[in-house]
Amino acid sequence: MFLLRDEILQEHSKAQTQKIADWVGKDEQRFKELLRLFLHDEYRVVQRAAWIVSKVAEQHQELVEPYLEEIVARMTDENVHVAVRRNATRILQFVTIPESLHGDVMNTCFRFFENPAETIAVRCFSMTVLSNLAKYYPEIKQEIKLVIEDTLENGASAGFKSRAKKTLSDLDIH
């Protein structure tokens, strides 16, 4: 018998994450159970479930869409583990964000993106989410560019530089 929570706690590895993501597949009930653990369980389960949710979302965005409001609310929680912020922003790169969430997502992603104390992954994923939203709100392009330039001037990781170059190209800003 496959008990999802037990499987999540069994091992924290790429192989285990992929195994569970494959088990969830396109199954709505399995995804709902996974999401419940991601949003409401204790720290270690949430941390591990976050990675699995993002893997499933990358392959089956239709499973995530009904829960985007909950995911966005959870990612904006100041006390949430960085794994939740990282994987929530990662998920938002792959999905069509409903217009009703654009403001909250934009504000939160700008807050993450502009914060030099935030992890590089969260900042990079936020940059991509903002770039995607710039298709609807072209007026944010210059603000994205300014944050990128400021970060590059103050020393940025190779990962940030690579994502910044791609983002500027996608935004057609040089």
Side-chain angles (χ1 to χ4, degrees), residues 19-83:
K19 172 186 165 188
I20 297 170
D22 290 344
W23 176 80
V24 170
K26 291 183 181 182
D27 189 292
E28 291 178 26
Q29 281 308 113
R30 290 177 179 180
F31 184 76
K32 186 175 182 176
E33 181 182 355
L34 173 64
L35 200 69
R36 182 184 55 77
L37 295 172
F38 168 61
L39 294 172
H40 304 291
D41 211 293
E42 55 98 6
Y43 161 82
R44 184 176 299 171
V45 175
V46 168
Q47 177 188 21
R48 293 180 183 185
W51 191 9
I52 302 163
V53 168
S54 72
K55 284 278 192 196
V56 173
E58 192 172 352
Q59 298 297 313
H60 307 290
Q61 98 168 24
E62 70 280 0
L63 290 177
V64 179
E65 289 172 348
Y67 304 101
L68 284 175
E69 192 171 328
E70 288 178 80
I71 291 169
V72 169
R74 188 75 168 121
M75 119 182 158
T76 61
D77 181 346
E78 296 288 331
N79 299 314
V80 77
H81 187 275
V82 68

